[in-house]
Amino acid sequence: MTAFLSSGRARRAALPVAICAGLATMLTACGEDPDAGTNGVGKLSATEIKTKARTAADSTDAVRLSGSLVSQGQTYKLNMRLKESGGIGSVTTKNSTFQLLRIEDALFLKADADFWDHAGGHGEESAGPGDPDTEVAGKLQDKYVKVPEDDPSYEQLSGFTDMKTLLDGLLTLHGKLDKGARDKIGGVRTIKISGSEGDGGTLDVSLEGTPYPLQLVRAGGAGTLTLADWGQDFPLEAPAKGQTVDYGSRLPGADG
């Protein structure tokens, strides 16, 4: 009888403990802290998050930029690795894909014959076989062509390889800033902030580790860009002489 009562008391005593434990679990789940295990940026205001992200970007010397960018009605697909001393990667437009390599002020452009044929024809129908434009294209295809600094295309092309210029333009959100939902970019937890004006956009900032900007969706359908490999250095080497062509003071089609 004593053993029976002891067992009954034990069961009665365990019941409220189990109930309390269950309630505690439910309350913990309902009130789970979304910032647990993060860098704490999600608790800040949108303006403070933007400042943190910009500071992180400015203090880092390398990044990979990929995605689409719409500028002046033209869509560019970028896959560039950038750092202070230059950049390397590819740019795709409606008509062609070309590669860019910049080391300090030396800018090289590499493309196939179709690209140079189009450039030589000033955007018109490609030249026929044996025509001067076709001959030029044949000499320049798949070679690194050095872009003269006084060529009209130098500034635009070098802009695709300029880390500071690109980030200055892309990481500027205009108008009143709002903090949005949490998300994941490439498996990394993020917090969204957005600008209210037409030329703003939505920026995803990392909630893990350093609060780097990880993705920008530009307003008005002006493109989506992913920023990755922050701080990961990469080599920049001038192409071999056999791979390089010095066309002269102007590239084909530069006057038109």
Side-chain angles (χ1 to χ4, degrees):
M1 185 69 176
T2 302
F4 176 78
L5 289 175
S6 297
S7 176
R9 290 193 188 99
R11 285 196 299 271
R12 288 194 296 273
L15 183 61
V17 172
I19 293 175
C20 289
L23 287 173
T25 301
M26 291 174 61
L27 291 172
T28 300
C30 293
E32 184 177 354
D33 182 3
D35 294 302
T38 73
N39 55 22
V41 167
K43 299 178 180 180
L44 304 178
S45 69
T47 300
E48 291 171 325
I49 294 172
K50 176 188 174 183
T51 300
K52 288 278 188 181
R54 190 54 199 262
T55 299
D58 288 344
S59 62
T60 306
D61 54 10
V63 66
R64 179 188 292 275
L65 184 67
S66 60
S68 61
L69 175 65
V70 181
S71 177
Q72 298 180 349
Q74 176 85 343
T75 299
Y76 302 92
K77 291 183 179 179
L78 310 180
N79 186 6
M80 301 295 302
R81 298 199 71 176
L82 309 168
K83 59 183 178 180
E84 184 177 353
S85 59
I88 186 171
S90 64
V91 180
T92 300
T93 65
K94 180 180 179 180
N95 299 313
S96 59
T97 296
F98 53 91
Q99 298 178 47
L100 292 171
L101 167 63
R102 182 177 64 83
I103 305 173
E104 301 297 348
D105 293 329
L107 176 65
F108 299 91
L109 170 65
K110 182 179 180 180
D112 60 18
D114 287 341
F115 173 89
W116 292 114
D117 212 11
H118 182 79
H122 301 282
E124 300 172 0
E125 186 177 351
S126 297
D131 287 348
D133 289 333
T134 300
E135 293 177 7
V136 169
K139 294 178 181 179
L140 301 183
Q141 67 172 329
D142 299 324
K143 298 285 188 179
Y144 282 98
V145 180
K146 188 172 183 180
V147 182
E149 291 186 45
D150 58 354
D151 188 281
S153 62
Y154 180 91
E155 183 176 357
Q156 179 186 16
L157 293 174
S158 63
F160 288 120
T161 68
D162 191 320
M163 179 176 173
K164 185 178 187 306
T165 297
L166 283 172
L167 293 183
D168 282 347
L170 295 175
L171 300 183
T172 301
L173 300 178
H174 299 279
K176 180 180 178 294
L177 295 181
D178 295 310
K179 185 164 68 171
R182 286 166 169 76
D183 201 350
K184 280 190 175 182
I185 302 296
V188 178
R189 288 178 291 175
T190 63
I191 182 75
K192 295 180 183 294
I193 56 173
S194 58
S196 61
E197 294 184 3
D199 56 350
T202 300
L203 186 68
D204 275 84
V205 178
S206 176
L207 288 174
E208 301 178 20
T210 305
Y212 291 122
L214 298 185
Q215 181 175 274
L216 172 68
V217 179
R218 303 183 76 207
T224 298
L225 291 160
T226 299
L227 302 101
D229 297 345
W230 287 100
Q232 295 185 23
D233 196 16
F234 57 94
L236 281 177
E237 298 179 356
K241 288 185 178 181
Q243 298 178 312
T244 307
V245 175
D246 191 343
Y247 190 76
S249 61
R250 292 291 176 95
L251 296 183
D255 297 327

